[in-house]
Amino acid sequence: MTKQTIKPAFNVLAVFVLALAMTLQAFFVPNVSADQITNRKLTLVAGATDGGSKVSTGGDPAVVNHLFDFTVPTTGTAIGSIKFEYCTTAADSPAVPACVTPSGLSTTSATLGPEGPNATGFSMVNTTNGAPYITRAAAPPTAGALSYRLDSVTNPDVKGSFFVRITTYTSTDTTGTGTDSGTVTASIAEQIVIDGTMPESLVFCAGETIGTTSGVPDCAAAGTTDGTIGFNQLFSPTATATATSQMAASTNAGFGYAITVNGPTLTSGSNTIAGLAAPSASLKGIAQFGLNLVENSAAAATSFPGNSAEIVAVSNGTNYNGRAAAGYELADTFRFATGTVVADSNFSNLASASPSDAQIYTVSYIANVPGSQPAGTYTSTLTYICTPTF
């Protein structure tokens, strides 16, 4: 009596175990006929306005491009379609027995971008959200390395990883048994927004010399000799006295800058050396005080050759726009009239003044006197004013 009751119970248990094994096999081996694709990856590529790994939000969907690269092991079998199935998990499991489309993902507006070599001529079918596929007349690939970019895919709205199951088919509509398959993964993350403000800017300085730091004019390196710049020699009716100073300017003002010179001519008590109200050559033996912003020759004064009195960096009409103004721009020709513009950021091929990166101007001064010039120490305090127009 006991043996008869044990045997049927054993048979029932065996059937239950066999059924359980078949169920687990169905979960973990969903497609036993497909070979594994290799060298597979998904690269999130920036779209027209959004970064590749941007997370979608309700009011700001992240429309980007998804680039798939992979190698199929089966090159002798025709490929008629390739499916890209977006899921929250890499594979089915007892906990998640079917592919779940990531929240916020949208592929219904996706288009096929550039195709790699070896299997081309596909078109996009995007009617099923989360499972777009590409299709063509079935033909075997010429080699195993394939590449496809799906454009205008809307990323999920949940940060973290998502998965795409790639399967190739001989059919043109992803029906039937897949040939090769494999899964890729990518992750979307919060974007880092770095915020900074460039204010209205004017950098201007003057001194005996202006230094540079890493090749850029640096007003912190402006040098003076207690504010006084001396002429190279005593004044004489038989020789021209010379001196130089420098200034540097830059601005992001939309209409650039203008630099004016302001102050009196050379003065000693009630005596003066007349400033050159109009541009003039240097003439020994007459009263002249003037300046210019270009390199001068020995014809103006023997001390001028090699003084490199030019604008550095050289103006190019793009980021460097400084120039000497009219009356101060001709070699061996000098002028001094207080309140006049000596330089601006209107390079000669521009229609109007423009912003400019920093440039160094060298100002050359001359002093000529007649033999009757009263003795004394002659000085002039000049103020250069740089005015930007925004």
Side-chain angles (χ1 to χ4, degrees):
M1 184 70 178
T2 304
K3 290 182 181 181
Q4 291 177 347
T5 57
I6 292 175
K7 185 174 181 180
F10 178 79
N11 290 338
V12 170
L13 178 61
V15 171
F16 174 76
V17 171
L18 179 60
L20 177 61
M22 292 177 67
T23 301
L24 291 176
Q25 183 181 36
F27 278 125
F28 291 105
V29 190
N31 193 345
V32 296
S33 62
D35 290 331
Q36 184 82 344
I37 63 175
T38 59
N39 296 320
R40 58 192 185 273
K41 64 179 179 179
L42 164 57
T43 304
L44 303 181
V45 181
T49 59
D50 297 324
S53 62
K54 179 181 176 181
V55 182
S56 293
T57 61
D60 186 19
V63 182
V64 303
N65 305 326
H66 290 182
L67 174 61
F68 295 89
D69 294 285
F70 54 93
T71 299
V72 293
T74 308
T75 57
T77 301
I79 296 177
S81 58
I82 305 174
K83 182 166 66 175
F84 302 90
E85 187 177 22
Y86 288 76
C87 307
T88 58
T89 58
D92 295 344
S93 69
V96 185
C99 175
V100 176
T101 303
S103 172
L105 176 88
S106 177
T107 61
T108 54
S109 296
T111 60
L112 180 60
E115 299 175 277
N118 304 325
T120 59
F122 286 90
S123 60
M124 169 68 70
V125 178
N126 59 15
T127 52
T128 301
N129 186 48
Y133 69 89
I134 57 178
T135 179
R136 69 168 185 176
T142 57
L146 308 181
S147 178
Y148 305 97
R149 199 179 79 192
L150 307 190
D151 291 349
S152 300
V153 175
T154 300
N155 273 348
D157 58 11
V158 178
K159 290 178 287 187
S161 298
F162 62 91
F163 303 87
V164 183
R165 305 175 190 179
I166 306 170
T167 306
T168 65
Y169 296 85
T170 57
S171 66
T172 59
D173 59 359
T174 70
T175 57
T177 301
T179 304
D180 300 319
S181 66
T183 300
V184 292
T185 184
S187 185
I188 53 177
E190 192 72 34
Q191 290 184 302
I192 302 300
V193 179
I194 300 176
D195 184 271
T197 300
M198 176 64 188
E200 292 78 3
S201 172
L202 172 69
V203 178
F204 178 70
C205 57
E208 183 175 14
T209 59
I210 306 294
T212 61
T213 299
S214 300
V216 178
D218 185 358
C219 282
T224 59
T225 306
D226 65 19
T228 301
I229 297 172
F231 281 89
N232 67 324
Q233 62 181 46
L234 299 176
F235 294 162
S236 167
T238 62
T240 300
T242 64
T244 61
S245 68
Q246 290 186 326
M247 54 188 176
S250 71
T251 188
N252 62 0
F255 295 95
Y257 62 76
I259 303 172
T260 59
V261 60
N262 305 270
T265 189
L266 289 168
T267 303
S268 176
S270 61
N271 301 312
T272 63
I273 299 174
L276 291 167
S280 173
S282 174
L283 301 173
K284 295 186 286 289
I286 63 174
Q288 290 182 321
F289 172 61
L291 59 95
N292 67 22
L293 281 74
V294 291
E295 188 171 25
N296 301 289
S297 71
T302 57
S303 57
F304 274 137
N307 73 337
S308 299
E310 296 286 356
I311 301 171
V312 181
V314 176
S315 296
N316 56 19
T318 53
N319 54 323
Y320 296 110
N321 293 313
R323 67 171 184 177
Y328 299 94
E329 86 287 17
L330 298 177
D332 301 343
T333 300
F334 303 87
R335 185 189 183 200
F336 175 73
T338 186
T340 56
V341 176
V342 298
D344 62 32
S345 61
N346 183 0
F347 187 62
S348 59
N349 67 352
L350 298 178
S352 61
S354 299
S356 182
D357 287 346
Q359 294 170 276
I360 297 174
Y361 297 88
T362 297
V363 185
S364 297
Y365 307 88
I366 62 157
N368 288 309
V369 294
S372 60
Q373 186 72 37
T377 299
Y378 288 79
T379 62
S380 174
T381 300
L382 300 179
T383 301
Y384 290 96
I385 299 173
C386 186
T387 304
T389 300
F390 291 93

